[in-house]
Amino acid sequence: MRRPVVLLVTAALVAGFTPSALAEPFTSATPDMTAAVAVYDRQRDRFTVERDADKPFRSASVVKLLIALDHMYQRDPELVLEKAKTDEARNDILYLRAMLRGSWDYAASVFWVRGGYTDIVERIVERIGLKGTNPPEKPGMWGYTSLTPRDVVRVYRHVLDDAPVKYRDFIMTNIHMWEKCGEDAWNQSFGIPRAFGEPWSAKQGWSAWGATPPPGQDCSLGAARTAAGPPVPAAKEDVVDLSSPLLHTTGTVGKDDRSIVVVFSTFPKGTTWQDGSDRITRYTRALLPYVPGARPGRPSGI
């Protein structure tokens, strides 16, 4: 436990924050919420805050960033719909859009199978130099990929600073065009989307909350999923906790994507979606002083 505290205090002193102020975000989570965080300032090229940033979690839908990036590197696809010359090329663009904006599981499963299952993770680990990312033990379960907050920061940094411009623009444009309602009808507006004012981007992850959203989500099944039919059997549901309900919020905050924010969290079984969503949002909102370029979000959320 000493190492995260040292990292936090060091980051805080460099940024001009006091240790007492730094403790606030992490005491805002209730004791039965497990959370890990990494915030990176791209302009100053340093982490402003880290807590258990090397702790592995199952990825849930955050792995879709890796799936999209690997697909682009392997196929160098046409990413402008009007320029696509085949039905497959057009479908790929639409699938990638829906996977990044609405977290469409069916699209992730299609690309996962086409890309060779766990080969996708192994290629991205080697390309980017990820340190704590591992493929799932069950090759068909893309959402069981193991990720750490620090590695997700590395992925965003690669997309923003190292990837070909057309890959960067496509991925970032689509996660900036994040959709409140996921294609599976779950409400994605937790964490970054509710904690910070625009501009921000978000790629969310959630798992083990049940087969169908609870009442009051104000979301309906996405058009893409309705058109495609049921997902193929590469799922995201149920050392890495493979069973606890989880919510992950990742993305960029501020003008020119200045800050990269990654918050991973798990909750005890029996936690309601609303309670978990509210808790990770409060936790993320408390990071505001440590996210350069951020503005507070609206109290009522989205």
Side-chain angles (χ1 to χ4, degrees):
M1 295 298 294
R2 288 185 179 180
R3 184 169 177 268
V5 172
V6 171
L7 288 169
L8 287 169
V9 172
T10 302
L13 293 177
V14 169
F17 303 120
T18 65
S20 59
L22 187 61
E24 182 182 349
F26 310 114
T27 57
S28 67
T30 56
D32 55 359
M33 171 184 172
T34 299
V37 61
V39 178
Y40 187 82
D41 180 355
R42 295 178 59 234
Q43 184 172 306
R44 296 183 178 178
D45 191 23
R46 68 189 184 199
F47 285 93
T48 60
V49 66
E50 297 172 278
R51 181 179 192 246
D52 292 335
D54 292 317
K55 178 179 175 61
F57 288 73
R58 74 187 192 278
S59 66
S61 290
V62 178
V63 76
K64 291 167 184 171
L65 290 169
L66 280 63
I67 294 172
L69 189 59
D70 180 76
H71 176 76
M72 293 175 189
Y73 275 120
Q74 294 306 305
R75 295 180 178 254
D76 192 28
E78 176 55 66
L79 295 172
V80 178
L81 194 61
E82 293 75 18
K83 296 182 180 180
K85 297 179 180 179
T86 67
D87 288 342
E88 181 182 56
R90 284 188 287 272
N91 284 338
D92 280 0
I93 294 170
L94 294 173
Y95 275 36
L96 286 166
R97 281 184 182 178
M99 183 176 74
L100 293 170
R101 298 182 191 184
S103 205
W104 191 24
D105 290 347
Y106 181 87
S109 298
V110 168
F111 292 127
W112 182 256
V113 173
R114 192 188 300 175
Y117 299 85
T118 58
D119 290 349
I120 292 171
V121 178
E122 292 170 357
R123 287 191 295 262
I124 290 294
V125 165
E126 182 177 2
R127 179 180 294 275
I128 300 178
L130 304 181
K131 307 298 184 182
T133 296
N134 290 288
E137 292 187 6
K138 297 179 180 180
M141 309 293 277
W142 47 259
Y144 279 12
T145 299
S146 174
L147 291 176
T148 67
R150 196 191 305 272
D151 268 1
V152 177
V153 170
R154 290 187 176 105
V155 171
Y156 276 107
R157 291 184 66 192
H158 179 86
V159 170
L160 287 161
D161 300 322
D162 299 321
V165 171
K166 72 173 186 177
Y167 302 173
R168 178 200 67 199
D169 289 350
F170 185 87
I171 290 173
M172 296 309 301
T173 294
N174 281 287
I175 64 174
H176 272 285
M177 297 179 72
W178 164 97
E179 295 172 353
K180 172 185 174 181
C181 297
E183 286 290 339
D184 58 2
W186 290 85
N187 188 328
Q188 297 193 76
S189 57
F190 56 84
I192 290 170
R194 284 167 56 193
F196 302 117
E198 293 181 345
W200 49 258
S201 67
K203 183 66 204 80
Q204 311 284 67
W206 59 96
S207 178
W209 296 95
T212 57
Q217 287 273 325
D218 190 29
C219 287
S220 58
L221 196 63
R225 179 170 172 179
T226 303
V232 298
K236 62 181 179 185
E237 302 292 350
D238 182 283
V239 223
V240 178
D241 182 342
L242 296 180
S243 61
S244 295
L246 66 76
L247 292 172
H248 299 335
T249 185
T250 80
T252 60
V253 179
K255 184 180 178 181
D256 299 324
D257 300 301
R258 174 168 176 176
S259 291
I260 300 168
V261 178
V262 179
V263 180
F264 282 0
S265 66
T266 60
F267 302 87
K269 293 180 181 178
T271 303
T272 66
W273 174 271
Q274 188 62 55
D275 186 27
S277 178
D278 288 345
R279 277 197 270 172
I280 190 174
T281 299
R282 288 195 301 270
Y283 189 98
T284 306
R285 185 178 291 124
L287 293 169
L288 181 65
Y290 319 109
V291 182
R295 299 186 303 107
R298 292 178 295 175
S300 60
I302 292 177

